[in-house]
Amino acid sequence: MPDRYVEDVYGQASVRISERLEKIDPLSIKDIDGYIARTCINCAIDQLRRSGREADMLVRLAALPEDVNDHDEVVASERYLIVREVIAEVLTGRQHLAYVLRHVKELNAKEIGEVLGISHALARKELSAAQQALDKGEVKGRLRALVQEER
Protein backbone atom coordinates (compact mmCIF):
# COMPACT_ATOMS: atom_id res chain seq x y z
CA MET A 1 0.00 0.00 0.00
CA PRO A 2 1.36 3.46 -0.88
CA ASP A 3 2.58 5.34 2.20
CA ARG A 4 0.19 8.23 1.63
CA TYR A 5 -2.78 5.94 2.39
CA VAL A 6 -1.45 4.33 5.57
CA GLU A 7 -2.64 7.07 7.92
CA ASP A 8 -6.10 7.07 6.31
CA VAL A 9 -6.37 3.29 6.58
CA TYR A 10 -5.23 3.42 10.20
CA GLY A 11 -7.89 6.04 10.95
CA GLN A 12 -10.61 4.07 9.19
CA ALA A 13 -9.66 0.89 11.03
CA SER A 14 -9.64 2.70 14.37
CA VAL A 15 -13.12 4.08 13.74
CA ARG A 16 -14.51 0.69 12.66
CA ILE A 17 -13.02 -1.07 15.68
CA SER A 18 -14.26 1.59 18.10
CA GLU A 19 -17.77 1.56 16.62
CA ARG A 20 -17.91 -2.22 16.76
CA LEU A 21 -16.68 -2.39 20.36
CA GLU A 22 -19.33 0.15 21.41
CA LYS A 23 -22.06 -2.12 20.04
CA ILE A 24 -20.92 -5.45 21.43
CA ASP A 25 -19.23 -6.88 24.49
CA PRO A 26 -15.48 -6.79 23.72
CA LEU A 27 -15.06 -10.06 25.62
CA SER A 28 -17.23 -11.78 23.00
CA ILE A 29 -14.39 -11.45 20.47
CA LYS A 30 -12.35 -14.62 20.88
CA ASP A 31 -9.22 -13.45 19.03
CA ILE A 32 -8.90 -9.67 19.44
CA ASP A 33 -5.53 -9.55 17.62
CA GLY A 34 -7.03 -11.43 14.68
CA TYR A 35 -10.07 -9.15 14.69
CA ILE A 36 -7.90 -6.02 14.64
CA ALA A 37 -5.67 -7.45 11.90
CA ARG A 38 -8.67 -8.46 9.77
CA THR A 39 -10.23 -5.00 10.20
CA CYS A 40 -6.98 -3.32 9.13
CA ILE A 41 -6.68 -5.61 6.11
CA ASN A 42 -10.30 -4.92 5.10
CA CYS A 43 -9.74 -1.16 5.38
CA ALA A 44 -6.58 -1.45 3.23
CA ILE A 45 -8.46 -3.48 0.61
CA ASP A 46 -11.25 -0.88 0.58
CA GLN A 47 -8.69 1.90 0.02
CA LEU A 48 -7.00 0.03 -2.83
CA ARG A 49 -10.37 -0.57 -4.47
CA ARG A 50 -11.21 3.13 -4.19
CA SER A 51 -7.88 4.01 -5.84
CA GLY A 52 -8.55 1.50 -8.63
CA ARG A 53 -12.04 2.92 -9.18
CA GLU A 54 -10.63 6.46 -9.39
CA ALA A 55 -8.16 5.36 -12.05
CA ASP A 56 -10.90 3.39 -13.83
CA MET A 57 -13.11 6.47 -13.88
CA LEU A 58 -10.35 8.55 -15.46
CA VAL A 59 -10.12 6.10 -18.32
CA ARG A 60 -13.90 5.68 -18.75
CA LEU A 61 -14.36 9.43 -18.91
CA ALA A 62 -11.57 9.54 -21.49
CA ALA A 63 -9.65 11.95 -19.30
CA LEU A 64 -6.53 13.14 -21.02
CA PRO A 65 -3.44 13.03 -18.86
CA GLU A 66 -3.44 16.80 -18.49
CA ASP A 67 -6.98 16.55 -17.09
CA VAL A 68 -5.96 14.15 -14.32
CA ASN A 69 -6.99 15.71 -11.04
CA ASP A 70 -3.90 14.99 -9.01
CA HIS A 71 -4.20 17.87 -6.57
CA ASP A 72 -4.80 15.40 -3.72
CA GLU A 73 -1.27 14.14 -4.20
CA VAL A 74 0.38 17.56 -4.50
CA VAL A 75 2.40 17.00 -1.36
CA ALA A 76 3.77 13.72 -2.68
CA SER A 77 4.04 14.79 -6.32
CA GLU A 78 4.75 18.53 -6.46
CA ARG A 79 7.40 18.10 -9.10
CA TYR A 80 4.97 16.28 -11.38
CA LEU A 81 2.71 19.32 -11.41
CA ILE A 82 5.65 21.53 -12.35
CA VAL A 83 6.84 19.33 -15.21
CA ARG A 84 3.47 18.05 -16.47
CA GLU A 85 3.44 20.20 -19.63
CA VAL A 86 6.85 18.98 -20.77
CA ILE A 87 5.85 15.39 -20.10
CA ALA A 88 2.64 15.86 -22.10
CA GLU A 89 4.67 17.20 -25.05
CA VAL A 90 7.12 14.30 -25.04
CA LEU A 91 4.83 11.32 -24.39
CA THR A 92 1.87 9.90 -26.26
CA GLY A 93 -1.48 10.12 -24.48
CA ARG A 94 -1.39 6.48 -23.36
CA GLN A 95 2.25 6.71 -22.24
CA HIS A 96 1.45 9.83 -20.25
CA LEU A 97 -1.60 8.27 -18.62
CA ALA A 98 0.39 5.11 -17.80
CA TYR A 99 3.17 7.29 -16.35
CA VAL A 100 0.68 9.25 -14.22
CA LEU A 101 -1.00 6.08 -13.00
CA ARG A 102 2.40 4.63 -12.07
CA HIS A 103 4.11 7.63 -10.51
CA VAL A 104 1.20 9.68 -9.17
CA LYS A 105 -1.38 7.00 -8.37
CA GLU A 106 1.35 4.40 -7.67
CA LEU A 107 -0.33 1.55 -9.57
CA ASN A 108 1.75 -1.37 -10.83
CA ALA A 109 1.89 -2.53 -14.46
CA LYS A 110 -0.82 -5.14 -13.96
CA GLU A 111 -3.19 -2.56 -12.43
CA ILE A 112 -2.35 -0.03 -15.15
CA GLY A 113 -3.10 -2.66 -17.78
CA GLU A 114 -6.47 -3.36 -16.19
CA VAL A 115 -7.34 0.33 -16.00
CA LEU A 116 -6.28 1.03 -19.59
CA GLY A 117 -7.78 -2.19 -20.95
CA ILE A 118 -4.45 -3.48 -22.21
CA SER A 119 -2.22 -6.38 -21.20
CA HIS A 120 0.21 -5.87 -18.36
CA ALA A 121 3.02 -6.55 -20.85
CA LEU A 122 1.85 -3.68 -23.03
CA ALA A 123 1.49 -1.49 -19.93
CA ARG A 124 5.13 -2.27 -19.06
CA LYS A 125 6.10 -1.47 -22.65
CA GLU A 126 4.30 1.90 -22.46
CA LEU A 127 6.00 2.69 -19.14
CA SER A 128 9.38 1.70 -20.57
CA ALA A 129 8.85 3.85 -23.68
CA ALA A 130 7.79 6.76 -21.48
CA GLN A 131 10.89 6.40 -19.33
CA GLN A 132 13.16 6.21 -22.39
CA ALA A 133 11.58 9.38 -23.81
CA LEU A 134 12.03 11.18 -20.48
CA ASP A 135 15.63 9.97 -20.15
CA LYS A 136 16.76 11.84 -23.28
CA GLY A 137 19.28 14.57 -22.49
CA GLU A 138 17.24 17.42 -23.96
CA VAL A 139 14.13 16.43 -22.02
CA LYS A 140 16.06 15.92 -18.79
CA GLY A 141 17.55 19.39 -19.22
CA ARG A 142 14.14 20.99 -19.68
CA LEU A 143 12.76 19.13 -16.67
CA ARG A 144 15.74 20.06 -14.47
CA ALA A 145 15.38 23.71 -15.48
CA LEU A 146 11.72 23.74 -14.48
CA VAL A 147 12.42 22.13 -11.13
CA GLN A 148 15.30 24.56 -10.49
CA GLU A 149 13.09 27.56 -11.37
CA GLU A 150 10.51 26.43 -8.84
CA ARG A 151 13.04 26.39 -6.00
Side-chain angles (χ1 to χ4, degrees):
M1 165 152 301
D3 289 343
R4 68 177 179 268
Y5 296 130
V6 172
E7 191 173 319
D8 291 342
V9 169
Y10 174 75
Q12 292 166 5
S14 297
V15 169
R16 282 188 194 177
I17 292 167
S18 297
E19 288 174 350
R20 173 89 169 148
L21 294 178
E22 287 175 6
K23 294 178 183 176
I24 65 164
D25 177 15
L27 298 176
S28 67
I29 300 174
K30 292 181 176 132
D31 179 11
I32 192 71
D33 291 337
Y35 170 72
I36 291 170
R38 175 50 46 200
T39 302
C40 290
I41 289 167
N42 289 342
C43 288
I45 289 168
D46 291 345
Q47 180 62 52
L48 291 171
R49 285 183 180 145
R50 277 191 297 276
S51 296
R53 282 193 302 267
E54 287 174 13
D56 227 9
M57 185 177 60
L58 290 173
V59 172
R60 271 198 302 276
L61 296 174
L64 298 173
E66 54 269 19
D67 295 332
V68 172
N69 183 0
D70 45 33
H71 297 291
D72 291 341
E73 284 93 6
V74 169
V75 172
S77 305
E78 281 179 33
R79 289 188 177 164
Y80 169 72
L81 295 174
I82 296 166
V83 300
R84 179 169 39 189
E85 288 181 34
V86 173
I87 292 173
E89 289 174 20
V90 174
L91 304 180
T92 67
R94 188 161 65 182
Q95 288 171 348
H96 190 177
L97 187 52
Y99 190 85
V100 169
L101 292 172
R102 174 69 188 110
H103 296 285
V104 176
K105 293 294 185 182
E106 296 184 2
L107 300 181
N108 63 35
K110 182 180 178 198
E111 294 166 327
I112 293 168
E114 290 171 6
V115 169
L116 297 178
I118 59 178
S119 69
H120 66 279
L122 184 53
R124 274 198 299 270
K125 184 177 177 182
E126 293 290 357
L127 288 168
S128 177
Q131 195 60 56
Q132 284 178 352
L134 295 173
D135 282 343
K136 292 182 180 172
E138 175 190 329
V139 176
K140 277 185 173 180
R142 288 175 64 196
L143 295 173
R144 273 194 207 105
L146 285 172
V147 171
Q148 294 297 328
E149 277 179 27
E150 198 59 30
R151 290 182 187 173

